[in-house]
């Protein structure tokens, strides 16, 4: 039976992951955080001194596995659970760099499509509606102002010992937006048939409700 696929794209810090996770849990769908795949590859790349070396080893020596524990996605790189260690600002920036490489995008494309063929999914990323799942049943482009996204990130990190300043977070977000929107392959952009949700002045539950309403109308 054909599976239901919902794509959520948008810039860093727009709330895609937490919203997609909540909506997926309400629907009993699998939530797929594709950013984790790029982050794990970014971590893998740090083992190699040059880009050439890294790309030479990507195909045969980088084994990624997504596992789900009660709806929570965990990612394993060569058998090691790296779910937590990929969440540093350094890995975020590195992920933005490696994700611009066509070899990396090609390497991950089938993995993402396979999951969507097998399960009902809500998949979040940057090119899900445009490249990975062009026939998705519903596409959402979720965004918010860079300042609002930075202040949400800043609050999330409140208890972290080495938390960056608000200005550093804002700078990182703007840099990643620029990288993601200006790369030659699969740049971040709103698909022509995606519904735009600007959550700058919206709360978490309001966005979830709007998405649930769209799903009810479409499916
Ligand atoms: O979503 P997250 O911030 O974890 O993604 C990390 C980086 O991975 C993004 O800044 C982006 O460069 C890249 N990415 C991508 N395509 C996706 C998901 C993430 O290029 N589908």
């Amino acid at each position: 039976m054909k599976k239901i696929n919902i794509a959520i794209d948008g810039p860093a810090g727009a709330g895609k992951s937490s919203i997609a996770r909540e909506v997926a849990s309400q629907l009993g769908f699998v939530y797929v955080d594709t950013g984790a795949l790029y982050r794990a590859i970014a971590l893998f790349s740090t083992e190699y001194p040059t880009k050439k070396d890294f790309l030479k080893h990507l195909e045969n020596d980088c084994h990624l596995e997504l596992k789900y524990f009660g709806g929570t996605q965990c990612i394993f790189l060569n058998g090691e659970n790296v779910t937590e260690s990929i969440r540093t600002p350094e890995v975020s920036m590195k992920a933005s760099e490696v994700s611009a490489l066509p070899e990396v995008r090609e390497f991950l494309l089938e993995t993402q499509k396979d999951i969507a063929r097998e399960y009902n999914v809500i998949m979040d990323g940057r090119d899900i509606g445009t490249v990975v799942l062009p026939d998705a049943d519903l596409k959402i482009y979720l965004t918010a102002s860079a300042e609002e996204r930075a202040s949400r990130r800043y609050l999330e990190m409140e208890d972290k010992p080495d938390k960056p300043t608000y200005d550093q977070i804002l700078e990182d977000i703007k840099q990643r937006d620029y990288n993601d929107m200006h790369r030659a392959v699969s740049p971040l952009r709103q698909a022509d048939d995606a519904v735009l949700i600007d959550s700058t002045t919206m709360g978490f539950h309001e966005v979830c409700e709007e998405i649930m309403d769209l799903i009810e109308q479409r499916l």
Side-chain angles (χ1 to χ4, degrees):
M1 203 173 80
K2 188 190 167 306
K3 299 297 176 188
I4 298 171
N5 293 169
I6 297 170
I8 304 190
D9 291 300
K16 298 186 299 296
S17 324
S18 41
I19 284 160
R21 192 180 301 115
E22 171 61 24
V23 173
S25 123
Q26 288 186 28
L27 294 168
F29 283 17
V30 172
Y31 159 57
V32 187
D33 164 14
T34 62
L37 295 164
Y38 288 91
R39 287 169 178 272
I41 291 190
L43 197 60
F44 175 78
S45 76
T46 60
E47 291 171 25
Y48 299 94
T50 64
K51 185 172 105 183
K52 199 168 155 216
D53 263 352
F54 150 59
L55 289 176
K56 200 169 82 193
H57 288 271
L58 180 63
E59 190 71 43
N60 296 320
D61 299 327
C62 180
H63 301 289
L64 297 177
E65 239 184 316
L66 292 178
K67 292 185 186 173
Y68 294 89
F69 301 99
T72 301
Q73 174 182 292
C74 289
I75 183 155
F76 290 75
L77 168 62
N78 293 331
E80 187 191 340
N81 186 344
V82 294
T83 312
E84 292 299 322
S85 49
I86 56 171
R87 297 285 153 200
T88 64
E90 294 75 24
V91 175
S92 303
M93 209 45 93
K94 193 83 196 157
S96 180
E97 263 173 62
V98 299
S99 67
L101 302 171
E103 296 88 341
V104 169
R105 305 208 73 85
E106 183 63 35
F107 178 75
L108 289 177
L109 188 59
E110 276 310 305
T111 308
Q112 297 168 89
K113 282 178 178 284
D114 281 349
I115 303 173
R117 271 191 283 260
E118 194 168 343
Y119 304 101
N120 292 324
V121 295
I122 300 202
M123 190 174 277
D124 90 40
R126 304 293 189 285
D127 62 340
I128 310 305
T130 50
V131 176
V132 180
L133 304 175
D135 299 324
D137 301 275
L138 173 66
K139 298 179 189 179
I140 288 161
Y141 189 84
L142 181 62
T143 190
S145 71
E147 289 72 19
E148 174 61 21
R149 287 183 280 133
S151 87
R152 288 178 195 166
R153 272 280 147 88
Y154 183 71
L155 289 175
E156 264 168 35
M157 293 180 141
E158 202 148 49
D159 300 331
K160 299 248 161 86
D162 303 325
K163 84 167 177 177
T165 63
Y166 168 82
D167 287 341
Q168 281 164 334
I169 296 176
L170 181 60
E171 197 47 46
D172 269 21
I173 280 190
K174 286 184 172 169
Q175 182 64 52
R176 281 216 280 153
D177 284 358
Y178 185 86
N179 293 351
D180 291 347
M181 290 173 182
H182 291 85
R183 65 182 171 223
V185 211
S186 309
L188 168 64
R189 67 170 183 84
Q190 183 182 341
D192 296 337
D193 51 352
V195 178
L196 172 69
I197 300 181
D198 182 337
S199 73
T200 306
T201 58
M202 291 169 84
F204 174 80
H205 293 291
E206 208 181 333
V207 178
C208 291
E209 268 173 36
E210 184 161 340
I211 294 178
M212 286 300 286
D213 286 348
L214 286 167
I215 293 170
E216 267 171 36
Q217 288 162 24
R218 293 284 180 98
L219 306 181

